Protein backbone atom coordinates (compact mmCIF):
# COMPACT_ATOMS: atom_id res chain seq x y z
CA UNK A 1 0.00 0.00 0.00
CA UNK A 2 1.29 3.43 -0.91
CA UNK A 3 1.68 5.95 1.91
CA UNK A 4 0.12 9.40 1.82
CA UNK A 5 3.49 11.12 1.35
CA UNK A 6 4.31 8.95 -1.67
CA UNK A 7 0.84 9.51 -3.11
CA UNK A 8 0.98 13.28 -2.67
CA UNK A 9 4.56 13.52 -4.02
CA UNK A 10 3.64 11.45 -7.07
CA UNK A 11 0.63 13.65 -7.79
CA UNK A 12 2.69 16.80 -7.33
CA UNK A 13 5.22 15.50 -9.88
CA UNK A 14 2.36 14.75 -12.30
CA UNK A 15 0.95 18.27 -11.90
CA UNK A 16 4.39 19.81 -12.36
CA UNK A 17 4.86 17.85 -15.59
CA UNK A 18 1.37 18.66 -16.90
CA UNK A 19 1.70 22.35 -16.13
CA UNK A 20 5.36 22.45 -17.19
CA UNK A 21 6.54 23.72 -13.82
CA UNK A 22 10.21 23.07 -13.08
CA UNK A 23 11.53 22.51 -9.59
CA UNK A 24 13.64 25.65 -10.02
CA UNK A 25 10.66 27.79 -11.08
CA UNK A 26 8.47 26.53 -8.23
CA UNK A 27 11.26 27.09 -5.70
CA UNK A 28 11.78 30.65 -6.89
CA UNK A 29 8.06 31.47 -6.92
CA UNK A 30 7.59 30.15 -3.37
CA UNK A 31 10.87 31.39 -1.84
CA UNK A 32 12.20 27.91 -1.14
CA UNK A 33 15.54 26.34 -1.95
CA UNK A 34 15.72 24.22 -5.07
CA UNK A 35 17.26 21.40 -3.03
CA UNK A 36 14.41 21.32 -0.51
CA UNK A 37 11.70 21.44 -3.16
CA UNK A 38 13.44 18.66 -5.05
CA UNK A 39 13.68 16.47 -1.94
CA UNK A 40 10.01 16.97 -1.13
CA UNK A 41 8.84 16.37 -4.70
CA UNK A 42 10.97 13.23 -4.96
CA UNK A 43 9.59 11.91 -1.68
CA UNK A 44 12.91 11.80 0.19
CA UNK A 45 11.64 14.43 2.67
CA UNK A 46 8.13 14.19 4.10
CA UNK A 47 5.67 16.77 2.79
CA UNK A 48 3.95 18.85 5.42
CA UNK A 49 0.33 19.87 5.16
CA UNK A 50 1.66 23.39 4.56
CA UNK A 51 3.72 22.14 1.61
CA UNK A 52 0.66 20.51 0.07
CA UNK A 53 -1.47 23.58 0.71
CA UNK A 54 1.14 25.91 -0.85
CA UNK A 55 1.50 23.71 -3.94
CA UNK A 56 -2.28 23.34 -4.31
CA UNK A 57 -2.79 27.09 -4.13
CA UNK A 58 0.01 27.68 -6.63
CA UNK A 59 -1.40 25.20 -9.15
CA UNK A 60 -5.15 25.76 -8.73
CA UNK A 61 -5.98 22.61 -6.78
CA UNK A 62 -7.50 22.01 -3.37
CA UNK A 63 -5.06 20.51 -0.82
CA UNK A 64 -7.33 17.49 -0.40
CA UNK A 65 -6.97 16.70 -4.12
CA UNK A 66 -3.49 15.37 -3.37
CA UNK A 67 -4.75 12.97 -0.70
CA UNK A 68 -8.13 11.76 -2.00
CA UNK A 69 -8.67 8.27 -3.43
CA UNK A 70 -9.19 9.70 -6.93
CA UNK A 71 -7.21 12.45 -8.57
CA UNK A 72 -8.07 14.61 -11.57
CA UNK A 73 -5.03 15.99 -13.35
CA UNK A 74 -5.53 19.45 -14.85
CA UNK A 75 -3.20 20.53 -17.60
CA UNK A 76 -2.60 24.15 -18.51
CA UNK A 77 -5.94 24.02 -20.32
CA UNK A 78 -9.31 23.01 -18.96
CA UNK A 79 -8.86 19.34 -19.82
CA UNK A 80 -8.91 16.93 -16.89
CA UNK A 81 -7.69 13.39 -16.70
CA UNK A 82 -8.31 10.96 -13.86
CA UNK A 83 -5.13 9.44 -12.55
CA UNK A 84 -4.99 6.38 -10.33
CA UNK A 85 -3.62 6.79 -6.83
Amino acid sequence: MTGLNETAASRIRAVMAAQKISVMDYAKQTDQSIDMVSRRVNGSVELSLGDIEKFATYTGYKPTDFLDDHFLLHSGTDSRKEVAA
Side-chain angles (χ1 to χ4, degrees):
M1 189 161 131
T2 303
L4 286 175
N5 191 70
E6 294 171 37
T7 298
S10 175
R11 291 173 178 180
I12 286 171
R13 288 191 303 272
V15 170
M16 290 179 80
Q19 294 187 9
K20 297 181 173 107
I21 301 169
S22 71
V23 169
M24 183 173 65
D25 290 339
Y26 180 69
K28 285 180 183 178
Q29 291 295 319
T30 57
D31 295 321
Q32 298 180 68
S33 74
I34 294 168
D35 182 56
M36 191 49 78
V37 170
S38 179
R39 288 179 186 203
R40 286 183 173 118
V41 168
N42 291 326
S44 60
V45 170
E46 293 280 322
L47 292 161
S48 70
L49 292 175
D51 294 327
I52 294 169
E53 182 178 32
K54 186 180 290 188
F55 186 78
T57 300
Y58 182 77
T59 57
Y61 285 85
K62 293 183 289 184
T64 55
D65 290 337
F66 295 96
L67 304 172
D68 284 342
D69 289 339
H70 298 284
F71 181 66
L72 293 177
L73 181 62
H74 310 241
S75 65
T77 65
D78 234 5
S79 62
R80 297 171 189 221
K81 175 180 162 188
E82 186 164 347
V83 177

